[in-house]
Amino acid sequence: MKSFKRMAAVAAVAVAGPTILTATPAMAADQPAVIVPDVAPKDDAADAGTPPPAVPDVQTPAPVPVPAPAVPAPAVPDVQAPAPQPAPVADKAAKNAKSDDAQDAESDGILMGPDVTVAGIPKNGFKADGSWTPLQVTVDNGGYLAVPNYTPTLSVDGYGGTFKPSQVKVEWKTTGGTWQSAKLTQGEAFGSSLRYDFGTDASLAKGSSYTVDVRIAFAAGTTVMPFDLVSAGYSRVGNHVNYSPSAWYNATIVGAVDDRENPFVEGPALTVNGVPETIKAGGDWTNLSVRVDNAGKEALKGFNVGLVLARPDWVKMKPSQIKVEVLSKDKNGKAGWHEAEVWSEEEGVFFGIDLAGGPVAAGQSFDVQFRIRFAADAPLGAVSLVSWGSSQVGPDTPTPWADSRSRARLTTIVAASTNTGGNGNQPNPNGGAKPITDTTGNTGNTGTTGATGGELAATGSDPATTWALGGAGVALAMGAALVAGTGRRRRTTA
């Protein structure tokens, strides 16, 4: 088992700093996503400041279908899902930070989800003439547990300058179809950022997603400069506030020269398929796959796919309680099922598995097949699965690097029943449990749904004979970044 220090080292070697590679569930076509998180707690003070008390939406709207351009009605909490637990405090300054409302709430941790993303960022910049630019903010809790009193946020932070509150207007559309001004939050904890809150959901249900229509306007006379557009969110329960990972996008005012280095481009779309609703502790193999869809993209000489397994309930596990095998070649070139090493950090809630790697042809799509089982003594509870990918194989890899991330998938480890059958491998997940598959089709960067359980590549190239076991620390880099930092992620344009 590799230590957390080893994970951080792998991440640092890979990109001269821990790297998270991701695609969003609802990104605009002109805004491919690549994530590079900041893991230095000091830099996260602005993200982790204490906001004012979240004010629930006084309306009682009806549930909104996905994706719906509105905030859904408060949902009944999933009584089967454990209440989200705060992560270890990543930054002492964050705990002591105060908002402009001078409340005594404590920023005492982070949430693993939901993922809050933005679509519609104009490639050529935002106009500074007072006109509205429409955006869509998606709150995706598909791979995570229920979250109480959740408020999505959007922030602007000038690069080389600052915005005045009078120069920026942000509004969001209610379920009634009316536009409402977003609440502006400022304060020392947020630095030069202007943060806008909109729509508190009394209970963001497990597995739910929704989209909010947002519009933003910059007044005439606004400084022409690059800036960061940051999507995030927080959950307030009593006197405690927990934050979900934030996504930082490079944006500009029209006419600005953006000299920020961006070595990343959007890689193949990744989708984790076949994830069942439950997996029995001590049960047989569960067959899964990662769909690699390079449609519309250039060939890659090398691309590595990894898996991150996380406990959103913050229940600790041991790597020895997780077994993963990949259909691929081993180091001797022998094709078949080969065991993949499961790495973890000291907290025992994030686990990285490098699945396989190899060349990807232009427009090629195929499945990387793997299977997973949990030991009989594995702690019961929720498990999130996310696939990560990168063409980055070392410090000498030429830029730009192609990076990818799948949507999170959620399953639950349950106790084995007395009639589990034999101990041999079973062709169906969990010996017949209903799998959860992506029914959203080709949405943003999530790719298309692919069949699982023995399917070969759509192009006729079998990953079992063309791809080699293991990658280049892709999964470990993600795990190290999430644990070392506060979940802050950067998304930049291609």
Side-chain angles (χ1 to χ4, degrees):
M1 180 184 75
K2 301 294 189 298
S3 68
F4 171 66
K5 291 183 179 179
R6 164 62 177 164
M7 295 175 64
V10 171
V13 170
V15 291
T19 302
I20 294 182
L21 318 170
T22 182
T24 71
M27 291 293 293
D30 61 355
Q31 199 68 191
V34 175
I35 292 179
V36 180
D38 262 320
V39 298
K42 180 179 179 180
D43 293 338
D44 279 305
D47 259 355
T50 302
V55 180
D57 192 353
V58 295
Q59 301 185 26
T60 307
V64 180
V66 179
V71 177
V76 178
D78 189 335
V79 296
Q80 296 181 348
Q85 299 297 315
V89 176
D91 185 6
K92 183 177 180 180
K95 185 174 182 179
N96 296 326
K98 299 289 175 63
S99 71
D100 57 346
D101 285 347
Q103 298 298 316
D104 293 329
E106 299 178 1
S107 176
D108 49 8
I110 62 171
L111 301 167
M112 290 189 189
D115 296 318
V116 183
T117 56
V118 181
I121 299 174
K123 184 176 181 179
N124 297 323
F126 291 84
K127 296 180 180 179
D129 58 4
S131 61
W132 292 110
T133 298
L135 301 172
Q136 295 78 44
V137 176
T138 295
V139 179
D140 184 3
N141 203 41
Y144 308 102
L145 297 178
V147 181
N149 298 322
Y150 189 77
T151 304
T153 67
L154 194 67
S155 302
V156 293
D157 189 4
Y159 179 74
T162 59
F163 291 111
K164 298 178 181 179
S166 60
Q167 296 174 326
V168 185
K169 290 184 179 180
V170 179
E171 295 183 349
W172 61 283
K173 184 181 287 187
T174 68
T175 54
T178 59
W179 288 98
Q180 179 173 319
S181 295
K183 181 178 180 179
L184 171 62
T185 302
Q186 291 179 273
E188 182 180 354
F190 301 98
S192 59
S193 295
L194 302 179
R195 197 190 76 180
Y196 298 87
D197 298 7
F198 41 89
T200 297
D201 191 341
S203 179
L204 181 58
K206 177 181 72 174
S208 64
S209 299
Y210 66 89
T211 297
V212 183
D213 280 344
V214 176
R215 61 186 185 185
I216 186 170
F218 295 90
T222 299
T223 302
V224 176
M225 61 180 170
F227 66 94
D228 288 320
L229 188 66
V230 186
S231 58
Y234 61 91
S235 168
R236 178 186 287 270
V237 179
N239 208 37
H240 300 276
V241 178
N242 294 324
Y243 289 82
S244 60
S246 59
W248 291 42
Y249 299 84
N250 282 4
T252 62
I253 300 298
V254 171
V257 177
D258 193 349
D259 59 356
R260 290 172 289 187
E261 182 180 2
N262 177 26
F264 303 101
V265 297
E266 181 187 11
L270 302 179
T271 308
V272 180
N273 283 308
V275 180
E277 295 175 351
T278 61
I279 299 178
K280 296 176 182 177
D284 295 307
W285 290 107
T286 295
N287 296 330
L288 306 174
S289 68
V290 174
R291 185 71 170 179
V292 180
D293 184 0
N294 203 38
K297 300 181 178 68
E298 298 296 325
L300 299 172
K301 293 182 179 179
F303 187 72
N304 303 295
V305 174
L307 182 75
V308 170
L309 183 152
R311 294 297 301 252
D313 53 10
W314 299 96
V315 173
K316 294 183 179 182
M317 291 181 66
K318 300 176 182 178
S320 60
Q321 294 171 322
I322 307 167
K323 297 295 183 184
V324 177
E325 290 187 350
V326 187
L327 186 61
S328 62
K329 294 189 300 182
D330 63 13
K331 61 182 179 181
N332 297 318
K334 182 179 179 180
W337 289 105
H338 300 291
E339 184 173 0
E341 185 176 8
V342 179
W343 294 353
S344 183
E345 31 60 52
E346 282 83 350
E347 293 299 331
V349 291
F350 293 99
F351 302 86
I353 303 102
D354 289 323
L355 296 178
V360 180
Q364 185 183 24
S365 298
F366 58 87
D367 291 327
V368 176
Q369 300 172 57
F370 66 99
R371 57 191 186 185
I372 189 170
R373 66 192 307 177
F374 297 102
D377 62 348
L380 308 184
V383 172
S384 291
L385 299 173
V386 179
S387 181
W388 304 78
S390 177
S391 63
Q392 185 181 349
V393 295
D396 297 328
T397 302
T399 57
W401 301 319
D403 295 340
S404 307
R405 177 191 185 267
S406 75
R407 291 182 63 187
R409 298 295 192 206
L410 186 67
T411 187
T412 302
I413 302 175
V414 297
S417 60
T418 57
N419 57 349
T420 56
N423 293 323
N425 295 340
Q426 298 296 318
N428 296 320
N430 202 22
K434 179 183 177 181
I436 300 173
T437 57
D438 185 358
T439 59
T440 60
N442 190 2
T443 303
N445 293 328
T446 61
T448 56
T449 301
T452 61
E455 180 193 4
L456 301 181
T459 60
S461 176
D462 183 358
T465 59
T466 61
W467 272 33
L469 180 69
V474 174
L476 299 183
M478 191 289 307
L482 276 183
V483 174
T486 61
R488 195 166 79 177
R489 308 170 179 177
R490 179 172 293 280
R491 303 170 191 265
T492 57
T493 60

